[in-house]
């Protein structure tokens, strides 16, 4: 067990009574919520390819004929008529994509030793983030029980270890329980299985089949299984292995054998003794988790159970170390729900106990999925980003059909949502769905990844995703008859109405679209330049970029959300989406080098206010950090770390639970300490006053640097910058610094602006020491 007050442990003095108190383990593909009960245990299971429906195209065959007319109506301000046409002829068929679904639960009912049911004492359950192991301990009738659970990516199973410090004290029955259409069975004398099927949804037949399989490996005692019930009695210890296989191969192929897959994973894992399973799991997890760490001194409040820390967080000054725990938890979650070869983190990451979860627990790509991956670069988890790139390569195929058949355009397009079947048509309704820029935003990950790694080979592999996203806009942008600019139309500024009533979100060329498309064109130009490709395309994107609408400052000093100055009269002044600040974060079109826009972004944020959903607060943490307002940014974290916005298990609450807020805040914490979105590294750009002392290790910066730094009294005390690519380092610090390598001073120049510039060699580490 970890000590209380560690920044690497969530702990509680009692079992979970509800799902949001249970603790998540996951190996990217297979996840469990662990309740930690005494007389009984529940492991609520999820597998990332258990979704409703089956391979399906959502494109509306009438869309191509309707879009030109819809465009005219939008330009003419006939919003209601445009809305009606888009609803009938352009929205997807069906209009909802398919939901992610649960597997069900494995339930254990423990024997009471000696038939007695004495009080349990010394109970504690904890999730150790550094080892990714969940542990329960308690003493009953003089016997100490210890139960460990982890989800191994190394061995593709969930492992449960039940033990006691007296011989023969472990006994239980185990069975499945599920809301899915499923049958429980006993495939052999020491195993149980659950064969299930994904649900039908909106007229699309459920075609995913799964098998969950559990095998008991007892030391001593007896094991039997009949009719889907497993019984172990009188064992000294028991290892349970849980595997789940499905028939899902990819978005168009359900040809795999679920039972063979589950049995294959389970059989391989069963060949390893428990200590080896633990060792392989911990090594695999620690290789990712151990790369970065945030140390904030612990105060007495840090010793409280985790849910009590959240309840008592207040203005965050009494327990600033909770911010470090939250940062580590965010990294833990990304490692646990997104690994190479798995599905990307969905709205709930991986963890879902419902057949019809909120918003389908899909991929909402007008903010939520992008936010999930904001920590991947800065928090040094590049591998965890991989599933997003695999998704992009799929969307490039499915979205090419939508581009061609809906818009008569080349390239590929995706609107505001996608699912396991890689739907790319607009869905849910015009108000939310009529947004052609979701795929472009996601595709920018290709260039972003290159900026962190300098990996040109990988850029070459992913380049078609980026280039073809741009080709769509070269074909599908239209000239705005009012302004002559090239714009998206019909579009929306995600989910925000500029006028009340039907069609109130519809517009041409919302600011966010112009920013994203400008970034996309710029990324294609730059990437093609790096790779020595596509001179013609480079010319086209440059010319088109020049014709995009510029950002505008409106009558209230705000950054305009639309081409027109509609902001002041928009119905929802505190709307959760602040889409037009994409240019401030995660984009970098608004920086200290664009002072008017920088100020307008600040004014916009003040006008929007601090309220919002969990993810909205998470985004605002990043916005204020980019505005160099560390205290305001921290204040948003204190708004998020309240029982209304953060569950006892630290899951972010929209509400309901939605994991993007966890990841958004995790990324925001990195923005306090290190920013690299401009052409420089900035150390401690937005350090909150509540964190006067600390150190951070292993953050990544664009340009190919790994950065560790420490501070005291709110001031930098030292930094180490590891160069991965040999790029010139440009480092902005509030205090002048000396640069050394292996103790020898390195030639460095500090410009009038406070940026120290020095040459680096790949593989070398440079130490920055403040002086004067
Ligand atoms: C967007 C947001 C909602 C929610 C949903 C999943 O549509 O506007 O708040 O997060 O995604």
């Amino acid at each position: 067990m970890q000590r209380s007050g560690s920044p690497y442990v969530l702990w509680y003095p009692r079992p979970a009574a509800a799902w949001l108190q249970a603790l998540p383990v996951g190996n990217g593909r297979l996840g469990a919520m662990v309740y930690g009960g005494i007389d009984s245990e529940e492991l609520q299971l999820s597998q990332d390819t258990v979704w409703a429906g089956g391979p399906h195209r959502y494109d509306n065959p009438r869309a191509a004929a309707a879009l030109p007319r819809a465009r005219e109506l939008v330009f003419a301000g006939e919003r209601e008529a445009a809305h009606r046409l888009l609803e009938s002829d352009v929205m997807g068929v069906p209009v909802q994509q398919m939901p992610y679904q649960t597997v069900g639960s494995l339930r254990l009912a423990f024997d009471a030793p000696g038939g007695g049911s004495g009080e349990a004492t010394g109970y504690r359950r904890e999730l150790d983030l550094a080892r990714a192991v969940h542990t329960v301990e308690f003493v009953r009738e003089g016997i100490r029980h210890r139960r460990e659970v982890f989800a191994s990516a190394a061995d593709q199973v969930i492992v449960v270890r039940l033990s006691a410090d007296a011989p023969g004290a472990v006994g239980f029955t185990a069975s499945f329980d599920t809301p899915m259409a499923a049958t429980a069975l006993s495939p052999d004398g020491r195993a149980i299985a659950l064969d299930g099927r994904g649900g039908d949804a909106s007229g699309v037949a459920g075609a995913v089949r799964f098998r969950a399989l559990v095998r008991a490996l007892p030391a001593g005692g007896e094991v039997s299984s009949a009719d889907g019930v497993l019984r172990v009695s009188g064992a000294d210890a028991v290892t349970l292995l849980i595997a789940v296989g499905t028939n899902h191969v990819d978005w168009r192929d359900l040809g795999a054998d679920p039972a063979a897959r589950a049995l294959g994973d389970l059989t391989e894992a069963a060949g390893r003794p428990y200590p080896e399973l633990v060792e392989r799991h911990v090594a695999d997890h620690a290789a990712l988790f151990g790369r970065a760490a945030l140390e904030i001194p612990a105060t007495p409040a840090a010793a409280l159970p985790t849910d009590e820390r959240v309840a008592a967080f207040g203005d965050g000054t009494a327990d600033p170390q909770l911010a470090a725990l939250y940062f580590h938890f965010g990294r833990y979650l990304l490692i646990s729900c997104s690994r190479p070869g798995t599905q990307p983190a969905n709205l709930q990451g991986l963890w879902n106990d419902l057949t019809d979860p909120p918003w389908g627990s899909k991929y909402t790509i007008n903010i939520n999925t992008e936010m999930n991956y904001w920590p991947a670069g800065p928090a040094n988890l590049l591998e965890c980003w991989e599933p997003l790139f695999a998704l992009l390569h799929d969307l490039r195929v499915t979205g090419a059909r939508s581009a061609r058949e809906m818009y008569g355009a080349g390239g590929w397009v995706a609107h505001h949502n996608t699912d396991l079947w890689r739907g790319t048509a607009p869905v849910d309704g015009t108000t939310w769905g009529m947004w052609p820029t979701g795929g472009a935003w996601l595709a920018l990950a290709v260039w972003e990844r290159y900026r962190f790694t300098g990996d040109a080979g990988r850029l070459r592999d992913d380049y078609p995703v980026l280039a073809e996203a741009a080709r769509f806009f070269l074909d599908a942008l239209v000239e705005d008859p009012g302004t002559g600019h090239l714009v998206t139309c019909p579009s929306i500024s995600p989910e925000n109405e500029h006028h009340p009533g039907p069609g109130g979100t519809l517009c041409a060329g919302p600011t966010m679209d112009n920013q994203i498309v400008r970034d996309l064109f710029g990324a294609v130009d730059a990437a093609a330049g790096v790779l020595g490709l596509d001179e013609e395309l480079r010319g086209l994107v440059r010319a088109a970029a020049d014709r995009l609408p510029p950002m505008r400052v409106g009558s209230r000093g705000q950054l305009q959300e639309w081409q027109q100055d509609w902001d002041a009269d928009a119905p929802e002044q505190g709307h959760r989406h602040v889409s037009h600040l994409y240019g401030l974060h995660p984009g970098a079109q608004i920086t200290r080098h664009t002072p008017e826009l920088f100020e307008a972004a600040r004014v916009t944020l003040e006008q929007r206010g601090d309220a919002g959903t969990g993810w909205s607060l998470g985004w605002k943490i990043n916005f204020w950090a980019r505005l160099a307002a560390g205290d305001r940014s921290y204040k948003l974290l204190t708004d998020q770390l309240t029982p209304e916005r953060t569950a006892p298990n630290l899951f972010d609450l929209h509400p309901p639970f939605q994991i993007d807020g966890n990841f958004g805040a995790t990324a925001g914490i990195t923005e306090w300490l290190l920013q690299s979105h401009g052409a420089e590294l900035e150390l401690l750009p937005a350090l909150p006053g509540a964190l006067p002392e600390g150190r951070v290790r292993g953050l990544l910066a664009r340009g190919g640097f790994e950065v560790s730094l420490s501070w005291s009294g709110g001031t930098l005390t030292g930094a180490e910058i590891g160069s991965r690519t040999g790029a010139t380092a440009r480092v902005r610090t509030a205090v002048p610094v000396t640069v050394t390598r292996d103790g020898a001073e390195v030639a460095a120049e500090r410009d009038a602006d406070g940026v120290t510039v020095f040459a680096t060699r790949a593989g070398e580490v440079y130490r920055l020491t403040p002086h004067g």
Side-chain angles (χ1 to χ4, degrees), residues 30-55:
L30 185 56
M33 295 295 286
V34 187
Y35 282 67
I38 296 170
D39 296 317
S40 62
E41 174 60 290
E42 176 175 0
L43 285 100
Q44 187 274 313
L45 303 170
S46 299
Q47 202 272 8
D48 66 352
T49 61
V50 176
W51 289 63

Side-chain angles (χ1 to χ4, degrees), residues 254-531:
L254 294 179
D257 178 346
R261 280 178 159 182
L263 185 62
D265 288 344
L266 196 135
T267 307
E268 274 198 38
R272 299 181 192 281
Y274 180 71
E276 192 179 324
L277 290 170
V278 180
E279 195 186 314
R280 284 164 56 83
H281 163 68
V282 171
D284 166 77
H285 176 78
L288 294 166
F289 187 83
R291 283 183 193 153
L294 174 58
E295 285 175 42
I296 304 291
T299 53
L304 290 171
T306 304
D307 49 348
E308 292 177 34
R309 290 180 76 175
V310 172
F313 194 54
D315 70 0
T317 49
D319 187 12
Q321 195 227 36
L322 185 60
L325 177 64
Y326 198 71
F327 171 77
H328 296 140
F329 185 59
R331 294 187 74 252
Y332 168 87
L333 287 177
L334 195 59
I335 296 167
S336 303
C337 75
S338 186
R339 292 290 197 105
T342 73
Q343 295 301 311
N346 61 44
L347 287 173
Q348 297 182 180
L350 172 64
W351 300 277
N352 169 38
D353 62 336
L354 303 171
T355 54
D356 191 14
W359 294 285
S361 194
K362 308 188 299 290
Y363 302 102
T364 306
I365 59 174
N366 65 14
I367 176 66
N368 316 87
T369 306
E370 287 86 354
M371 184 176 280
N372 283 355
Y373 287 95
W374 287 348
N380 205 342
L381 292 172
L382 295 169
E383 294 87 339
C384 298
W385 216 346
E386 291 298 339
L388 187 78
F389 293 91
L391 173 79
L392 280 164
H393 282 277
D394 291 346
L395 293 179
R396 185 189 147 210
V397 178
T398 58
R401 287 200 303 215
S402 298
R404 193 171 58 240
E405 291 173 22
M406 287 184 63
Y407 292 87
W412 67 275
V413 62
H415 294 79
H416 95 304
N417 250 276
T418 191
D419 61 4
L420 188 68
W421 314 113
R422 306 314 191 221
T424 50
V427 291
D428 288 355
T430 299
T431 307
W432 307 275
M434 198 58 248
W435 189 60
T437 322
W441 189 359
L442 269 192
L444 280 164
V446 170
W447 182 241
E448 188 74 347
R449 188 182 187 284
Y450 174 78
R451 293 181 73 199
F452 277 99
T453 62
D455 182 348
R458 184 54 195 274
L459 180 63
R460 185 177 296 275
D461 294 344
D462 293 336
Y463 174 76
V465 165
L466 202 59
E468 289 166 27
R471 280 200 193 276
F472 168 76
F473 289 96
L474 288 175
D475 288 351
L477 292 177
V478 291
E479 190 173 290
D480 186 318
T483 63
H485 291 298
L486 286 182
V487 292
T488 50
C489 182
S491 189
I492 63 173
S493 184
E495 310 196 18
N496 196 11
E497 286 178 334
H498 44 79
H499 287 83
T505 59
L506 285 174
C507 67
T511 300
M512 182 191 227
D513 283 9
N514 308 330
Q515 294 169 337
I516 290 174
V517 174
R518 187 175 294 113
D519 272 357
L520 178 67
F521 287 163
V524 168
D525 186 19
V530 169
L531 299 171

Side-chain angles (χ1 to χ4, degrees), residues 121-183:
T121 56
Y123 178 92
R124 177 180 165 110
R125 69 182 166 112
E126 70 167 42
L127 179 63
D128 178 345
L129 303 177
R131 299 175 74 237
V133 176
H134 180 282
T135 307
V136 173
E137 273 194 6
F138 61 90
V139 175
R140 190 153 69 173
E141 314 249 324
I143 299 173
R144 173 171 294 275
H145 294 264
R146 183 179 169 90
R147 299 171 183 161
E148 293 176 330
V149 181
F150 57 89
S152 171
D155 289 304
Q156 289 299 309
V157 287
I158 291 175
V159 182
V160 181
R161 175 76 174 177
L162 307 166
S163 62
D165 67 358
V170 180
F172 61 91
T173 57
S175 57
F176 285 111
D177 174 16
T178 182
M180 302 290 284
T183 315

